[in-house]
Amino acid sequence: LKHLCLAYINGWVYLYDDHQDINPLKLKTEYQEIINAEWSPQGDILAVGGTYQDQYETKYSVNFYNGSLKLVKVLKVRLILFYD
């Protein structure tokens, strides 16, 4: 199970076993821009939030993936806010 996530602003998500992994799982999301990505407390679900284009309108959603980057749920939201 991969535990290290790199989520790039351009919509790509890479999952690694560790910092020495040379074969990450790669996923090109539907997002024009990834805003945030976080693991669940148990480390088995990855939440990725971002923006996508729907015709002429920018919309937001949070996609939930398992450790194999299989999409398990999509949550459409009005806006994404996160706090440090």
Side-chain angles (χ1 to χ4, degrees), residues 49-60:
T51 64
Y52 65 95
Q53 200 69 24
D54 184 20
Q55 293 183 342
Y56 303 107
E57 190 176 0
T58 298
K59 295 195 174 184
Y60 301 86

PDB file of all heavy atoms in Angstrom, residues 49-60:
ATOM      1  N   GLY A  49      -9.019  17.699  -3.363  1.00  0.00           N
ATOM      2  CA  GLY A  49      -9.975  18.744  -3.706  1.00  0.00           C
ATOM      3  C   GLY A  49      -9.412  19.671  -4.757  1.00  0.00           C
ATOM      4  O   GLY A  49      -8.218  19.970  -4.767  1.00  0.00           O
ATOM      5  N   GLY A  50     -10.287  20.100  -5.667  1.00  0.00           N
ATOM      6  CA  GLY A  50      -9.811  21.000  -6.697  1.00  0.00           C
ATOM      7  C   GLY A  50     -10.918  21.592  -7.534  1.00  0.00           C
ATOM      8  O   GLY A  50     -12.100  21.439  -7.232  1.00  0.00           O
ATOM      9  N   THR A  51     -10.492  22.276  -8.597  1.00  0.00           N
ATOM     10  CA  THR A  51     -11.426  22.940  -9.506  1.00  0.00           C
ATOM     11  C   THR A  51     -11.454  22.214 -10.846  1.00  0.00           C
ATOM     12  O   THR A  51     -10.454  21.655 -11.284  1.00  0.00           O
ATOM     13  CB  THR A  51     -11.027  24.399  -9.750  1.00  0.00           C
ATOM     14  OG1 THR A  51      -9.762  24.440 -10.401  1.00  0.00           O
ATOM     15  CG2 THR A  51     -10.965  25.181  -8.460  1.00  0.00           C
ATOM     16  N   TYR A  52     -12.616  22.244 -11.470  1.00  0.00           N
ATOM     17  CA  TYR A  52     -12.767  21.694 -12.814  1.00  0.00           C
ATOM     18  C   TYR A  52     -13.716  22.600 -13.588  1.00  0.00           C
ATOM     19  O   TYR A  52     -14.455  23.398 -12.998  1.00  0.00           O
ATOM     20  CB  TYR A  52     -13.279  20.248 -12.768  1.00  0.00           C
ATOM     21  CG  TYR A  52     -14.661  20.087 -12.203  1.00  0.00           C
ATOM     22  CD1 TYR A  52     -15.771  20.025 -13.038  1.00  0.00           C
ATOM     23  CD2 TYR A  52     -14.876  19.997 -10.835  1.00  0.00           C
ATOM     24  CE1 TYR A  52     -17.051  19.877 -12.516  1.00  0.00           C
ATOM     25  CE2 TYR A  52     -16.142  19.858 -10.314  1.00  0.00           C
ATOM     26  CZ  TYR A  52     -17.228  19.800 -11.153  1.00  0.00           C
ATOM     27  OH  TYR A  52     -18.493  19.668 -10.646  1.00  0.00           O
ATOM     28  N   GLN A  53     -13.655  22.499 -14.889  1.00  0.00           N
ATOM     29  CA  GLN A  53     -14.493  23.336 -15.748  1.00  0.00           C
ATOM     30  C   GLN A  53     -15.729  22.565 -16.170  1.00  0.00           C
ATOM     31  O   GLN A  53     -15.641  21.457 -16.665  1.00  0.00           O
ATOM     32  CB  GLN A  53     -13.698  23.759 -16.983  1.00  0.00           C
ATOM     33  CG  GLN A  53     -14.253  24.956 -17.686  1.00  0.00           C
ATOM     34  CD  GLN A  53     -14.119  26.242 -16.889  1.00  0.00           C
ATOM     35  OE1 GLN A  53     -13.262  26.373 -16.038  1.00  0.00           O
ATOM     36  NE2 GLN A  53     -14.994  27.184 -17.144  1.00  0.00           N
ATOM     37  N   ASP A  54     -16.901  23.178 -15.971  1.00  0.00           N
ATOM     38  CA  ASP A  54     -18.179  22.615 -16.413  1.00  0.00           C
ATOM     39  C   ASP A  54     -18.786  23.624 -17.375  1.00  0.00           C
ATOM     40  O   ASP A  54     -19.353  24.622 -16.940  1.00  0.00           O
ATOM     41  CB  ASP A  54     -19.078  22.366 -15.212  1.00  0.00           C
ATOM     42  CG  ASP A  54     -20.382  21.689 -15.581  1.00  0.00           C
ATOM     43  OD1 ASP A  54     -20.456  21.084 -16.659  1.00  0.00           O
ATOM     44  OD2 ASP A  54     -21.338  21.778 -14.783  1.00  0.00           O
ATOM     45  N   GLN A  55     -18.632  23.373 -18.637  1.00  0.00           N
ATOM     46  CA  GLN A  55     -18.988  24.311 -19.704  1.00  0.00           C
ATOM     47  C   GLN A  55     -18.208  25.599 -19.485  1.00  0.00           C
ATOM     48  O   GLN A  55     -17.006  25.600 -19.636  1.00  0.00           O
ATOM     49  CB  GLN A  55     -20.487  24.516 -19.796  1.00  0.00           C
ATOM     50  CG  GLN A  55     -21.209  23.264 -20.254  1.00  0.00           C
ATOM     51  CD  GLN A  55     -22.698  23.486 -20.408  1.00  0.00           C
ATOM     52  OE1 GLN A  55     -23.261  24.438 -19.889  1.00  0.00           O
ATOM     53  NE2 GLN A  55     -23.335  22.591 -21.135  1.00  0.00           N
ATOM     54  N   TYR A  56     -18.856  26.679 -19.096  1.00  0.00           N
ATOM     55  CA  TYR A  56     -18.164  27.958 -18.927  1.00  0.00           C
ATOM     56  C   TYR A  56     -17.972  28.346 -17.472  1.00  0.00           C
ATOM     57  O   TYR A  56     -17.607  29.471 -17.163  1.00  0.00           O
ATOM     58  CB  TYR A  56     -18.950  29.068 -19.655  1.00  0.00           C
ATOM     59  CG  TYR A  56     -19.136  28.772 -21.116  1.00  0.00           C
ATOM     60  CD1 TYR A  56     -20.372  28.384 -21.606  1.00  0.00           C
ATOM     61  CD2 TYR A  56     -18.068  28.851 -21.995  1.00  0.00           C
ATOM     62  CE1 TYR A  56     -20.556  28.102 -22.947  1.00  0.00           C
ATOM     63  CE2 TYR A  56     -18.233  28.565 -23.341  1.00  0.00           C
ATOM     64  CZ  TYR A  56     -19.467  28.202 -23.802  1.00  0.00           C
ATOM     65  OH  TYR A  56     -19.637  27.913 -25.129  1.00  0.00           O
ATOM     66  N   GLU A  57     -18.226  27.418 -16.581  1.00  0.00           N
ATOM     67  CA  GLU A  57     -18.212  27.724 -15.158  1.00  0.00           C
ATOM     68  C   GLU A  57     -17.167  26.867 -14.429  1.00  0.00           C
ATOM     69  O   GLU A  57     -17.058  25.676 -14.667  1.00  0.00           O
ATOM     70  CB  GLU A  57     -19.602  27.428 -14.584  1.00  0.00           C
ATOM     71  CG  GLU A  57     -19.826  27.901 -13.192  1.00  0.00           C
ATOM     72  CD  GLU A  57     -21.261  27.644 -12.741  1.00  0.00           C
ATOM     73  OE1 GLU A  57     -22.065  27.109 -13.516  1.00  0.00           O
ATOM     74  OE2 GLU A  57     -21.551  27.980 -11.585  1.00  0.00           O
ATOM     75  N   THR A  58     -16.415  27.495 -13.530  1.00  0.00           N
ATOM     76  CA  THR A  58     -15.485  26.768 -12.680  1.00  0.00           C
ATOM     77  C   THR A  58     -16.254  26.200 -11.497  1.00  0.00           C
ATOM     78  O   THR A  58     -16.987  26.915 -10.828  1.00  0.00           O
ATOM     79  CB  THR A  58     -14.352  27.688 -12.190  1.00  0.00           C
ATOM     80  OG1 THR A  58     -13.625  28.168 -13.318  1.00  0.00           O
ATOM     81  CG2 THR A  58     -13.411  26.944 -11.258  1.00  0.00           C
ATOM     82  N   LYS A  59     -16.084  24.909 -11.256  1.00  0.00           N
ATOM     83  CA  LYS A  59     -16.755  24.241 -10.141  1.00  0.00           C
ATOM     84  C   LYS A  59     -15.722  23.540  -9.270  1.00  0.00           C
ATOM     85  O   LYS A  59     -14.581  23.370  -9.666  1.00  0.00           O
ATOM     86  CB  LYS A  59     -17.796  23.252 -10.662  1.00  0.00           C
ATOM     87  CG  LYS A  59     -18.932  23.949 -11.395  1.00  0.00           C
ATOM     88  CD  LYS A  59     -20.111  23.049 -11.585  1.00  0.00           C
ATOM     89  CE  LYS A  59     -21.256  23.851 -12.179  1.00  0.00           C
ATOM     90  NZ  LYS A  59     -22.448  23.049 -12.304  1.00  0.00           N
ATOM     91  N   TYR A  60     -16.188  23.109  -8.095  1.00  0.00           N
ATOM     92  CA  TYR A  60     -15.309  22.493  -7.102  1.00  0.00           C
ATOM     93  C   TYR A  60     -15.840  21.119  -6.715  1.00  0.00           C
ATOM     94  O   TYR A  60     -17.046  20.893  -6.680  1.00  0.00           O
ATOM     95  CB  TYR A  60     -15.261  23.357  -5.831  1.00  0.00           C
ATOM     96  CG  TYR A  60     -14.769  24.756  -6.065  1.00  0.00           C
ATOM     97  CD1 TYR A  60     -15.648  25.765  -6.451  1.00  0.00           C
ATOM     98  CD2 TYR A  60     -13.436  25.077  -5.899  1.00  0.00           C
ATOM     99  CE1 TYR A  60     -15.207  27.056  -6.665  1.00  0.00           C
ATOM    100  CE2 TYR A  60     -12.976  26.361  -6.111  1.00  0.00           C
ATOM    101  CZ  TYR A  60     -13.868  27.347  -6.495  1.00  0.00           C
ATOM    102  OH  TYR A  60     -13.428  28.622  -6.702  1.00  0.00           O
TER     103      TYR A  60
END
